[in-house]
Amino acid sequence: PGFMSGVFSSANVGRKVESDWNMVYVARGEGNCDKGEVTWKFKMREGLVVKKVKLLVGSCCYESGVVTWQLCSDRSCLLPAAGQQLETEQLSGSSEIQLSARLGGGEGESAWQHTQLFRCPRDGA
C-alpha cells in the first residue's frame, strides 16, 4: 500500500511527512543528498496502444534543487514541465510508456529536502 505500491523502480526516494507544516511529499532519503529517481511504468493490455496522453506532474524545487521529469515510449521521450498539463499524441501507437522523475541539487545538509514531488496538505494525501 501507499506511494511505493505503484512504482516500477526507485533509488533514494521515499514519502516524507512534515508534522510541523502538516504537509506530505516524496523526496530523497532524509539526510541523503545523492541523486534520487523514481519511475512508473504503464503497460497497455494486449491489443491496446496509446492514442493520446494527458499528464500533469507536480514538483517543487528550493535553493538549487532540480527535478527533471521524463515521459518515454519505445519511440520518443518528452520532458513534461511541473504544473503545466501536457497533452500529446507523440507517443501514439506505443504499448508501454514510462514516467520518471530525477531529483538532484540543493544546498548543504538539507539538500535532500530541496526537491519534492507531489507536495500537498497531509489531510489531502
Side-chain angles (χ1 to χ4, degrees):
F3 150 72
M4 291 301 288
S5 66
V7 169
F8 174 69
S9 67
S10 68
N12 190 33
V13 294
R15 185 173 183 264
K16 170 71 174 156
V17 176
E18 286 185 346
S19 299
D20 52 346
W21 291 95
N22 201 32
M23 299 297 277
V24 63
Y25 51 88
V26 174
R28 290 176 279 176
E30 191 164 343
N32 189 335
C33 300
D34 293 340
K35 292 181 180 180
E37 183 171 357
V38 60
T39 299
W40 296 268
K41 185 183 278 192
F42 305 92
K43 189 171 184 169
M44 306 305 120
R45 277 190 262 153
E46 191 169 332
L48 297 178
V49 294
V50 173
K51 181 176 180 181
K52 181 191 289 188
V53 174
K54 280 186 178 182
L55 177 70
L56 179 62
V57 293
S59 53
C60 300
C61 297
Y62 305 97
E63 303 294 334
S64 62
V66 176
V67 173
T68 303
W69 290 96
Q70 190 173 46
L71 179 66
C72 294
S73 71
D74 57 346
R75 298 180 181 140
S76 64
C77 287
L78 305 172
L79 299 173
Q84 296 179 13
Q85 183 168 305
L86 170 70
E87 189 169 338
T88 182
E89 293 182 10
Q90 289 184 45
L91 307 177
S92 179
S94 302
S95 61
E96 185 175 292
I97 56 175
Q98 283 191 175
L99 175 65
S100 298
R102 292 179 182 86
L103 297 77
E107 301 294 324
E109 292 179 10
S110 60
W112 64 273
Q113 202 172 20
H114 293 166
T115 51
Q116 303 175 6
L117 308 180
F118 315 122
R119 183 180 175 90
C120 65
R122 193 170 163 189
D123 55 10

